[in-house]
Coordinates of all heavy atoms in Angstrom, one line a residue:
G855 N 0.8 -1.2 0.0 CA 0.0 0.0 0.0 C 0.8 1.3 0.0 O 2.1 1.2 0.1
Y856 N 0.2 2.3 -0.1 CA 0.8 3.7 -0.1 C 0.9 4.2 1.3 O -0.2 4.4 1.9 CB 0.0 4.6 -1.1 CG 0.6 6.0 -1.2 CD1 1.8 6.2 -1.8 CD2 -0.2 7.0 -0.7 CE1 2.3 7.5 -1.9 CE2 0.3 8.3 -0.8 CZ 1.5 8.5 -1.4 OH 2.0 9.8 -1.5
L857 N 2.0 4.5 1.8 CA 2.2 5.1 3.1 C 2.3 6.6 3.0 O 3.1 7.2 2.3 CB 3.5 4.5 3.7 CG 3.8 5.0 5.1 CD1 2.7 4.5 6.1 CD2 5.1 4.4 5.6
V858 N 1.4 7.3 3.7 CA 1.4 8.8 3.7 C 1.9 9.3 5.0 O 1.5 8.8 6.1 CB -0.1 9.3 3.5 CG1 -0.1 10.8 3.6 CG2 -0.6 8.8 2.2
S859 N 2.9 10.2 5.0 CA 3.5 10.7 6.2 C 2.4 11.6 6.9 O 1.5 12.1 6.3 CB 4.7 11.6 5.9 OG 4.3 12.8 5.3
E860 N 2.6 11.8 8.2 CA 1.7 12.6 9.0 C 1.7 14.0 8.5 O 0.6 14.6 8.4 CB 2.1 12.5 10.5 CG 1.1 13.3 11.4 CD 1.5 13.1 12.9 OE1 2.3 12.3 13.2 OE2 1.0 13.9 13.6
A861 N 2.8 14.5 8.2 CA 2.9 15.9 7.7 C 2.1 16.1 6.4 O 1.4 17.0 6.1 CB 4.3 16.3 7.4
H862 N 2.2 15.1 5.5 CA 1.5 15.1 4.2 C 0.0 15.0 4.4 O -0.8 15.8 3.9 CB 1.9 13.9 3.3 CG 1.2 13.8 2.0 ND1 1.6 14.5 0.9 CD2 0.1 13.1 1.6 CE1 0.8 14.3 -0.1 NE2 -0.1 13.4 0.3
Y863 N -0.4 14.2 5.3 CA -1.9 14.0 5.7 C -2.4 15.3 6.2 O -3.5 15.8 5.8 CB -2.0 12.9 6.7 CG -3.4 12.8 7.3 CD1 -4.5 12.3 6.5 CD2 -3.7 13.3 8.5 CE1 -5.7 12.2 7.1 CE2 -4.9 13.2 9.1 CZ -6.0 12.7 8.3 OH -7.2 12.6 8.9
K864 N -1.7 15.9 7.2 CA -2.2 17.1 7.8 C -2.2 18.3 6.8 O -3.2 19.1 6.8 CB -1.3 17.5 9.0 CG -1.5 16.6 10.2 CD -0.6 17.1 11.3 CE -0.8 16.2 12.5 NZ 0.0 16.6 13.7
K865 N -1.3 18.4 5.9 CA -1.3 19.4 4.9 C -2.5 19.3 4.0 O -3.2 20.3 3.7 CB 0.0 19.4 4.1 CG 0.0 20.4 2.9 CD -0.1 21.8 3.3 CE -0.1 22.7 2.1 NZ -0.8 24.0 2.3
H866 N -2.8 18.1 3.5 CA -3.9 17.9 2.6 C -5.3 18.0 3.4 O -6.2 18.5 2.8 CB -3.8 16.6 1.9 CG -2.7 16.7 0.8 ND1 -2.9 17.3 -0.4 CD2 -1.4 16.3 0.9 CE1 -1.8 17.3 -1.1 NE2 -0.9 16.7 -0.3
L867 N -5.3 17.7 4.6 CA -6.5 17.9 5.4 C -6.9 19.3 5.5 O -8.0 19.7 5.3 CB -6.4 17.2 6.8 CG -7.6 17.4 7.7 CD1 -8.8 16.7 7.1 CD2 -7.3 16.8 9.1
S868 N -5.9 20.2 5.8 CA -6.2 21.6 5.9 C -6.6 22.2 4.6 O -7.4 23.1 4.5 CB -5.0 22.4 6.6 OG -3.8 22.2 5.8
D869 N -6.0 21.7 3.5 CA -6.4 22.2 2.2 C -7.8 21.8 1.9 O -8.6 22.6 1.3 CB -5.5 21.6 1.1 CG -4.1 22.2 1.0 OD1 -3.9 23.3 1.6 OD2 -3.2 21.6 0.4
Y870 N -8.2 20.6 2.3 CA -9.6 20.1 2.1 C -10.6 21.0 2.9 O -11.6 21.4 2.3 CB -9.7 18.7 2.4 CG -11.1 18.1 2.3 CD1 -11.6 17.9 1.1 CD2 -11.9 17.9 3.4 CE1 -12.9 17.4 0.9 CE2 -13.2 17.5 3.3 CZ -13.7 17.2 2.1 OH -15.0 16.7 1.9
I871 N -10.2 21.2 4.1 CA -11.1 22.0 5.0 C -11.3 23.4 4.4 O -12.4 23.9 4.3 CB -10.6 22.1 6.4 CG1 -10.7 20.7 7.1 CG2 -11.3 23.2 7.3 CD1 -9.9 20.6 8.4
T872 N -10.2 24.1 4.0 CA -10.4 25.4 3.4 C -11.0 25.4 2.1 O -11.8 26.4 1.8 CB -9.0 26.1 3.4 OG1 -8.1 25.3 2.6 CG2 -8.4 26.4 4.7
H873 N -10.9 24.4 1.3 CA -11.6 24.3 0.0 C -13.1 24.2 0.3 O -13.9 24.9 -0.4 CB -11.1 23.0 -0.7 CG -11.8 22.8 -2.0 ND1 -11.6 23.6 -3.2 CD2 -12.8 21.9 -2.3 CE1 -12.4 23.1 -4.1 NE2 -13.1 22.2 -3.6
V874 N -13.5 23.3 1.2 CA -14.9 23.2 1.5 C -15.5 24.4 2.1 O -16.6 24.9 1.7 CB -15.2 22.0 2.4 CG1 -16.6 21.9 2.9 CG2 -14.8 20.7 1.7
A875 N -14.8 25.0 3.0 CA -15.3 26.3 3.7 C -15.4 27.4 2.7 O -16.3 28.2 2.7 CB -14.4 26.6 4.8
G876 N -14.5 27.5 1.7 CA -14.4 28.6 0.8 C -15.2 28.3 -0.5 O -15.3 29.2 -1.4
H877 N -15.9 27.2 -0.6 CA -16.7 26.8 -1.8 C -17.8 27.8 -1.9 O -18.4 28.3 -1.0 CB -17.2 25.4 -1.6 CG -18.1 25.0 -2.8 ND1 -17.6 24.8 -4.0 CD2 -19.4 24.7 -2.8 CE1 -18.6 24.4 -4.8 NE2 -19.7 24.4 -4.1
E878 N -18.1 28.2 -3.2 CA -19.1 29.2 -3.5 C -20.3 28.7 -4.2 O -21.1 29.5 -4.7 CB -18.5 30.4 -4.2 CG -17.4 31.1 -3.4 CD -16.8 32.3 -4.2 OE1 -17.2 32.6 -5.3 OE2 -15.8 32.9 -3.6
G879 N -20.4 27.4 -4.4 CA -21.5 26.9 -5.1 C -22.8 26.7 -4.4 O -23.0 27.2 -3.2
K880 N -23.8 26.0 -5.0 CA -25.1 25.7 -4.4 C -24.9 25.1 -3.0 O -24.1 24.2 -2.8 CB -25.9 24.8 -5.3 CG -27.3 24.5 -4.8 CD -28.0 23.6 -5.8 CE -29.4 23.3 -5.3 NZ -30.1 22.4 -6.2
N881 N -25.7 25.6 -2.0 CA -25.7 25.1 -0.6 C -24.4 25.4 0.1 O -24.2 24.7 1.2 CB -26.2 23.7 -0.6 CG -27.6 23.5 -1.0 OD1 -28.5 24.3 -0.8 ND2 -27.8 22.4 -1.8
S882 N -23.6 26.2 -0.4 CA -22.3 26.5 0.3 C -22.6 27.5 1.4 O -23.7 28.2 1.5 CB -21.3 27.1 -0.6 OG -21.8 28.4 -1.1
L883 N -21.7 27.7 2.4 CA -21.9 28.7 3.4 C -22.1 30.0 2.8 O -23.0 30.8 3.3 CB -20.6 28.7 4.3 CG -20.6 29.7 5.4 CD1 -21.8 29.6 6.4 CD2 -19.3 29.6 6.2
L884 N -21.3 30.4 1.8 CA -21.4 31.7 1.2 C -22.8 31.9 0.6 O -23.4 32.9 0.7 CB -20.3 32.0 0.2 CG -20.4 33.4 -0.5 CD1 -20.4 34.5 0.6 CD2 -19.3 33.6 -1.5
S885 N -23.3 30.9 -0.1 CA -24.6 31.0 -0.8 C -25.7 31.2 0.2 O -26.6 32.0 0.0 CB -24.9 29.8 -1.7 OG -25.1 28.7 -0.9
I886 N -25.6 30.6 1.3 CA -26.6 30.8 2.4 C -26.5 32.2 3.0 O -27.6 32.8 3.2 CB -26.5 29.7 3.5 CG1 -26.8 28.3 2.9 CG2 -27.4 29.9 4.7 CD1 -26.4 27.1 3.7
L887 N -25.3 32.6 3.3 CA -25.1 34.0 3.8 C -25.6 35.0 2.8 O -26.2 36.0 3.2 CB -23.7 34.2 4.2 CG -23.2 33.3 5.4 CD1 -21.6 33.5 5.5 CD2 -23.9 33.7 6.7
K888 N -25.3 34.8 1.5 CA -25.8 35.8 0.5 C -27.3 35.7 0.4 O -28.0 36.8 0.3 CB -25.2 35.4 -0.8 CG -23.8 35.9 -1.0 CD -23.3 35.6 -2.4 CE -22.1 36.3 -2.8 NZ -21.6 36.0 -4.2
L889 N -27.9 34.6 0.5 CA -29.4 34.4 0.4 C -30.1 35.2 1.5 O -31.1 35.9 1.3 CB -29.8 33.0 0.5 CG -31.3 32.6 0.3 CD1 -31.8 33.0 -1.1 CD2 -31.5 31.2 0.6
K890 N -29.5 35.2 2.7 CA -30.0 35.9 3.9 C -29.6 37.3 3.9 O -29.9 38.1 4.8 CB -29.6 35.2 5.1 CG -30.2 33.8 5.3 CD -29.8 33.1 6.6 CE -30.5 31.8 6.7 NZ -31.7 31.8 7.4
K891 N -28.7 37.7 2.9 CA -28.2 39.1 2.8 C -27.3 39.4 3.9 O -27.2 40.6 4.4 CB -29.3 40.1 2.5 CG -30.2 39.7 1.3 CD -30.8 40.9 0.8 CE -31.8 40.7 -0.4 NZ -31.3 39.8 -1.4
Y892 N -26.6 38.5 4.5 CA -25.7 38.7 5.6 C -24.2 39.0 5.2 O -23.5 39.6 5.9 CB -25.6 37.5 6.5 CG -26.9 37.2 7.3 CD1 -27.2 36.0 7.8 CD2 -27.9 38.2 7.5 CE1 -28.3 35.7 8.6 CE2 -29.0 37.9 8.2 CZ -29.2 36.7 8.7 OH -30.4 36.4 9.5
A893 N -23.8 38.5 4.0 CA -22.5 38.6 3.5 C -22.4 38.7 2.0 O -23.3 38.2 1.3 CB -21.6 37.4 4.0
S894 N -21.3 39.3 1.6 CA -21.1 39.4 0.1 C -19.9 38.6 -0.4 O -19.8 38.3 -1.6 CB -21.0 40.8 -0.3 OG -19.9 41.4 0.4
E895 N -18.9 38.3 0.5 CA -17.7 37.6 0.1 C -17.2 36.7 1.3 O -17.5 37.0 2.4 CB -16.6 38.6 -0.2 CG -16.8 39.6 -1.3 CD -15.7 40.6 -1.5 OE1 -14.6 40.3 -1.1 OE2 -16.0 41.6 -2.1
L896 N -16.5 35.7 0.9 CA -16.0 34.8 1.9 C -14.7 34.2 1.3 O -14.6 33.8 0.1 CB -17.0 33.6 2.2 CG -16.6 32.6 3.2 CD1 -17.8 32.1 3.9 CD2 -15.8 31.5 2.6
S897 N -13.7 34.1 2.1 CA -12.4 33.4 1.7 C -11.9 32.6 2.9 O -12.1 33.0 4.0 CB -11.4 34.4 1.2 OG -11.0 35.3 2.2
A898 N -11.3 31.5 2.6 CA -10.8 30.6 3.6 C -9.3 30.4 3.3 O -9.0 30.3 2.1 CB -11.5 29.3 3.7
Y899 N -8.5 30.2 4.3 CA -7.0 30.0 4.0 C -6.4 29.2 5.1 O -7.0 29.0 6.2 CB -6.3 31.4 4.0 CG -6.6 32.2 5.3 CD1 -5.7 32.1 6.3 CD2 -7.6 33.1 5.4 CE1 -5.9 32.8 7.5 CE2 -7.9 33.8 6.5 CZ -7.0 33.7 7.6 OH -7.2 34.4 8.7
C900 N -5.2 28.7 4.8 CA -4.5 28.0 5.9 C -3.0 28.4 5.8 O -2.5 28.7 4.7 CB -4.6 26.4 5.7 SG -4.0 25.7 4.2
H901 N -2.4 28.4 6.9 CA -0.9 28.8 7.0 C -0.3 27.7 7.8 O -0.7 27.4 9.0 CB -0.7 30.1 7.7 CG -1.2 31.3 6.9 ND1 -0.7 31.7 5.8 CD2 -2.3 32.1 7.2 CE1 -1.3 32.7 5.3 NE2 -2.3 33.0 6.1
D902 N 0.7 27.0 7.3 CA 1.5 26.0 8.0 C 2.6 26.7 8.8 O 3.4 27.4 8.3 CB 2.1 25.1 7.0 CG 1.1 24.2 6.2 OD1 0.1 23.8 6.9 OD2 1.3 23.9 5.0
L903 N 2.5 26.3 10.1 CA 3.5 26.8 11.1 C 4.4 25.6 11.4 O 4.2 24.5 10.8 CB 2.8 27.3 12.3 CG 1.8 28.4 12.0 CD1 1.1 28.8 13.3 CD2 2.4 29.6 11.4
K904 N 5.4 25.7 12.2 CA 6.3 24.6 12.5 C 5.6 23.4 13.1 O 5.9 22.3 12.7 CB 7.4 25.1 13.5 CG 8.5 25.9 12.9 CD 9.5 26.2 13.8 CE 10.6 27.1 13.2 NZ 11.7 27.4 14.1
T905 N 4.7 23.6 14.0 CA 4.1 22.5 14.7 C 2.6 22.4 14.6 O 1.9 21.5 15.1 CB 4.4 22.5 16.2 OG1 3.9 23.7 16.8 CG2 5.9 22.4 16.4
Q906 N 2.0 23.3 13.8 CA 0.6 23.4 13.7 C 0.2 24.1 12.4 O 1.0 24.7 11.8 CB -0.1 24.0 14.9 CG 0.4 25.4 15.1 CD 0.0 25.9 16.5 OE1 -0.5 25.2 17.3 NE2 0.2 27.2 16.8
T907 N -1.1 24.0 12.0 CA -1.6 24.7 10.9 C -2.7 25.6 11.3 O -3.6 25.2 12.1 CB -2.2 23.7 9.8 OG1 -1.1 22.9 9.4 CG2 -2.7 24.4 8.6
L908 N -2.6 26.9 10.9 CA -3.6 27.9 11.2 C -4.7 27.9 10.1 O -4.3 28.1 8.9 CB -3.0 29.2 11.4 CG -4.0 30.4 11.6 CD1 -4.7 30.3 12.9 CD2 -3.2 31.7 11.5
I909 N -5.9 27.7 10.4 CA -7.0 27.7 9.4 C -7.8 28.9 9.7 O -8.3 29.1 10.9 CB -7.8 26.5 9.4 CG1 -6.9 25.3 9.0 CG2 -9.0 26.6 8.4 CD1 -7.6 23.9 9.1
G910 N -8.1 29.8 8.8 CA -8.9 31.0 9.0 C -9.9 31.2 7.9 O -9.9 30.6 6.8
M911 N -10.8 32.2 8.2 CA -11.8 32.5 7.2 C -12.1 34.0 7.4 O -12.1 34.5 8.5 CB -13.1 31.7 7.5 CG -14.2 31.9 6.6 SD -15.7 31.0 6.9 CE -15.0 29.3 6.9
E912 N -12.3 34.7 6.3 CA -12.6 36.1 6.3 C -14.0 36.2 5.6 O -14.2 35.6 4.5 CB -11.6 36.9 5.5 CG -10.3 36.9 6.3 CD -9.2 37.8 5.5 OE1 -9.6 38.7 4.7 OE2 -8.0 37.6 5.8
I913 N -14.9 36.9 6.2 CA -16.2 37.1 5.6 C -16.5 38.6 5.6 O -16.4 39.3 6.6 CB -17.3 36.4 6.5 CG1 -17.0 34.9 6.6 CG2 -18.7 36.6 5.9 CD1 -17.9 34.1 7.6
K914 N -16.9 39.1 4.4 CA -17.2 40.5 4.2 C -18.7 40.6 4.5 O -19.6 40.1 3.7 CB -16.9 41.0 2.8 CG -17.2 42.5 2.7 CD -16.7 43.0 1.3 CE -17.0 44.5 1.3 NZ -16.6 45.0 0.0
L915 N -19.1 41.2 5.6 CA -20.5 41.3 6.0 C -21.2 42.5 5.4 O -20.6 43.5 5.1 CB -20.6 41.4 7.5 CG -20.0 40.2 8.4 CD1 -20.1 40.5 9.8 CD2 -20.8 38.9 8.1
T916 N -22.5 42.3 5.1 CA -23.3 43.4 4.7 C -23.7 44.2 6.0 O -23.4 43.8 7.1 CB -24.6 42.9 4.0 OG1 -25.3 42.1 4.9 CG2 -24.2 42.1 2.8
E917 N -24.4 45.3 5.8 CA -24.9 46.0 6.9 C -25.8 45.2 7.8 O -25.8 45.2 9.0 CB -25.7 47.3 6.5 CG -24.8 48.4 6.0 CD -25.5 49.7 5.7 OE1 -26.5 50.0 6.4 OE2 -25.1 50.4 4.8
L918 N -26.7 44.4 7.1 CA -27.6 43.5 7.8 C -26.8 42.4 8.6 O -27.1 42.1 9.7 CB -28.5 42.8 6.9 CG -29.6 41.8 7.5 CD1 -30.5 42.6 8.4 CD2 -30.4 41.2 6.4
G919 N -25.7 41.9 8.0 CA -24.9 40.9 8.6 C -24.2 41.4 9.8 O -23.8 40.7 10.7
E920 N -23.9 42.7 9.9 CA -23.2 43.3 11.1 C -24.1 43.5 12.2 O -23.7 43.8 13.3 CB -22.6 44.6 10.6 CG -21.4 44.4 9.7 CD -20.7 45.7 9.3 OE1 -21.1 46.8 9.9 OE2 -19.8 45.7 8.5
Q921 N -25.4 43.4 12.0 CA -26.4 43.7 13.2 C -26.5 42.5 14.1 O -26.2 41.4 13.8 CB -27.8 44.0 12.6 CG -27.8 45.3 11.8 CD -29.2 45.6 11.3 OE1 -30.1 44.9 11.5 NE2 -29.3 46.7 10.5

């Protein structure tokens, strides 16, 4: 079988999480926020540090979303 290192697994897991979180298609987080007029933009990212990975998300809220 194919042996995957822990570092390789963790890197691809964070990429997968940010890809799903940042998806903009039907039934995505952004599409729901837009439908409710709470947000206009969303981006997700990850940064690899020495011993951990930081996963973040930025959401541009509308006036309604800020209430």
Side-chain angles (χ1 to χ4, degrees):
Y856 179 68
L857 182 62
V858 177
S859 72
E860 184 177 344
H862 179 84
Y863 170 77
K864 287 181 178 180
K865 172 62 180 157
H866 288 281
L867 179 61
S868 59
D869 286 342
Y870 177 75
I871 291 169
T872 56
H873 176 77
V874 171
H877 178 66
E878 297 182 0
K880 183 179 178 182
N881 296 323
S882 67
L883 175 59
L884 180 58
S885 70
I886 294 167
L887 293 172
K888 281 183 168 183
L889 183 66
K890 294 180 178 272
K891 304 204 183 316
Y892 292 160
S894 60
E895 297 177 22
L896 182 149
S897 63
Y899 56 88
C900 62
H901 294 292
D902 291 322
L903 307 173
K904 284 185 179 183
T905 59
Q906 57 194 7
T907 300
L908 173 66
I909 297 174
M911 184 180 300
E912 295 182 20
I913 302 172
K914 184 174 182 181
L915 300 174
T916 62
E917 286 185 34
L918 181 61
E920 290 182 5
Q921 296 179 1

